[in-house]
Amino acid sequence: MNQIEIFNLTKKYKKTTIIDNFSCIISPHQYHFLIGKNGSGKTTFIKCLLNEVKYTGQIYTNHLSFAYAPEKLMMPSYITMYDFLKLLLMNKKMDKSKINSQIQKYLELFGIIDYKNMPIHKLSKGTKQKIILIQALACNCDVYIFDEPFDGLDETSRKIFIKLVSKIKRQKKIIIISTHYLNEYHFKKKQVYRFPIR
């Protein structure tokens, strides 16, 4: 079953309730957007989906595989962009024989192929953001989660990202995006969850 089922999800940090008794079904039929101020619980919700934090209630992921582009990703300074992506993708659900060609394809799409052998510490914020997105986009998973994907991207790169996400969505994949820029996503079918959910 290609959907995520959530029943009575509640998450508290000490005495503060971040998510209160939330239920929904997340399916491939819509784009799912998480909207709210920083600290409102969007990333906490994502961590619940990924089973990275404890919570009460039930989340049934139905054995689906996840690709995740976090808002921030720790990157070693002196490894090259290409080697870092290869290292990340070796641990992902994908055909290992296609890793090199996938990296090449996405570096070209985002216009950063010329920097593939450059150490990460020399890259701009925007280029580092593209690395975070590529390591998720290049996977063959059932669910794709992007946490603030536009952070550091120029307008051209944002359009490229939207085009790639649209292509993934047409393959009946689940798309979840946490963003401050909802109006820039001109999709017809949008399900919006506004945080905090209390």
Side-chain angles (χ1 to χ4, degrees):
M1 186 181 299
N2 193 19
Q3 64 183 28
I4 301 170
E5 301 166 89
I6 302 172
F7 300 100
N8 304 317
L9 175 64
T10 298
K11 175 59 185 174
K12 298 180 180 180
Y13 285 113
K14 296 182 179 179
K15 294 183 179 180
T16 302
T17 300
I18 306 299
I19 302 169
D20 188 16
N21 201 37
F22 177 59
S23 299
C24 73
I25 293 177
I26 300 177
S27 74
H29 304 303
Q30 298 171 306
Y31 293 88
H32 300 268
F33 287 90
L34 315 180
I35 306 298
K37 297 179 180 179
N38 291 336
S40 62
K42 303 188 302 295
T43 300
T44 296
F45 177 71
I46 291 171
K47 289 181 177 179
C48 290
L49 293 180
L50 298 173
N51 201 30
E52 293 183 354
V53 295
K54 293 181 179 180
Y55 56 83
T56 59
Q58 292 81 39
I59 298 178
Y60 299 105
T61 57
N62 298 303
H63 305 291
L64 299 177
S65 57
F66 286 76
Y68 176 40
E71 185 175 6
K72 295 180 181 179
L73 181 66
M74 293 295 294
M75 300 184 187
S77 296
Y78 292 96
I79 191 172
T80 66
M81 174 203 304
Y82 192 92
D83 288 340
F84 183 53
L85 280 169
K86 188 171 183 178
L87 183 65
L88 289 174
L89 293 176
M90 285 296 292
N91 295 313
K92 303 286 186 179
K93 182 186 176 184
M94 62 184 302
D95 185 342
K96 300 299 185 287
S97 67
K98 296 182 179 179
I99 288 177
N100 290 333
S101 61
Q102 283 288 86
I103 293 174
Q104 187 85 4
K105 179 180 81 171
Y106 283 99
L107 292 182
E108 289 176 353
L109 284 170
F110 279 106
I112 54 175
I113 189 68
D114 292 342
Y115 308 126
K116 71 176 186 178
N117 294 318
M118 186 176 290
I120 287 175
H121 75 276
K122 291 187 177 181
L123 302 176
S124 67
K125 179 180 179 180
T127 301
K128 290 178 180 177
Q129 178 65 9
K130 293 172 187 178
I131 293 174
I132 294 175
L133 298 178
I134 289 170
Q135 60 83 33
L137 290 166
C139 299
N140 180 24
C141 292
D142 304 306
V143 183
Y144 292 78
I145 303 176
F146 302 95
D147 195 350
E148 301 297 350
F150 280 180
D151 188 25
L153 295 186
D154 58 27
E155 184 176 353
T156 298
S157 298
R158 292 182 179 192
K159 290 180 179 179
I160 292 169
F161 172 73
I162 289 175
K163 185 176 181 180
L164 291 170
V165 166
S166 299
K167 184 177 180 180
I168 292 172
K169 175 70 166 49
R170 288 195 294 272
Q171 299 169 12
K172 308 300 182 183
K173 310 288 189 175
I174 293 174
I175 305 293
I176 301 171
I177 301 174
S178 172
T179 183
H180 292 298
Y181 304 97
L182 181 62
N183 292 336
E184 294 194 32
Y185 293 88
H186 302 293
F187 301 134
K188 291 183 179 179
K189 295 183 178 180
K190 292 190 285 190
Q191 175 64 52
V192 178
Y193 306 97
R194 299 190 182 276
F195 289 76
I197 297 175
R198 295 173 186 164

